[in-house]
Amino acid sequence: MFKIYWTDPDNQAQGEETTELVQALQITKDKRDAGLRFVTMVSENTQSVGKQGVDTIVDGKTPDGQDYGWSKAGRAGRPRKNDRIVTNKDR
C-alpha cells in the first residue's frame, strides 16, 4: 500500500492511496506538476525485517558478506586515491 499526501491551495492536507508503485509515482508527479505543495509518498513495507540500511559491520563485511568501506570521515576532506577530480576544464 502506498499513500500520497499533499497540501492543497487552501493549505488543507489531502491524500490518496494505491497498491501499485508505478501508479503512486505517477500520482506524486502529477500533484507536483499541478503546483501542489508538500507532496510526499510513503509506504509500509510488510516484507521488511529490522531497520533499513546496514546496521552491522564485522571485519569490514555487511551481514550478507559484502565488502563495506564507506565512512563519513573518508568522504570529507581530501579525495581518495581512485576519486575522479573534475575541473572547470573538464566541464
Side-chain angles (χ1 to χ4, degrees):
M1 176 72 63
F2 300 93
K3 294 190 178 189
I4 302 93
Y5 298 102
W6 65 91
T7 302
D8 68 17
D10 296 325
N11 214 25
Q12 298 294 311
Q14 301 290 325
E16 189 172 335
E17 62 185 47
T18 180
T19 58
E20 299 297 320
L21 174 60
V22 173
Q23 184 179 14
L25 292 169
Q26 186 62 52
I27 293 168
T28 302
K29 181 183 181 312
D30 292 346
K31 298 300 180 188
R32 287 187 179 139
D33 290 349
L36 296 171
R37 298 175 47 185
F38 302 105
V39 180
T40 188
M41 181 179 81
V42 295
S43 173
E44 184 178 85
N45 184 350
T46 58
Q47 302 300 315
S48 177
V49 205
K51 297 178 183 177
Q52 292 183 350
V54 175
D55 60 359
T56 305
I57 304 298
V58 177
D59 296 327
K61 303 272 185 194
T62 61
D64 62 358
Q66 298 294 314
D67 289 333
Y68 188 84
W70 187 92
S71 74
K72 185 174 181 179
R75 298 312 307 155
R78 65 187 177 112
R80 291 182 178 180
K81 179 175 140 184
N82 295 321
D83 283 349
R84 180 172 175 257
I85 308 301
V86 178
T87 64
N88 286 335
K89 188 170 66 173
D90 297 330
R91 293 180 186 177

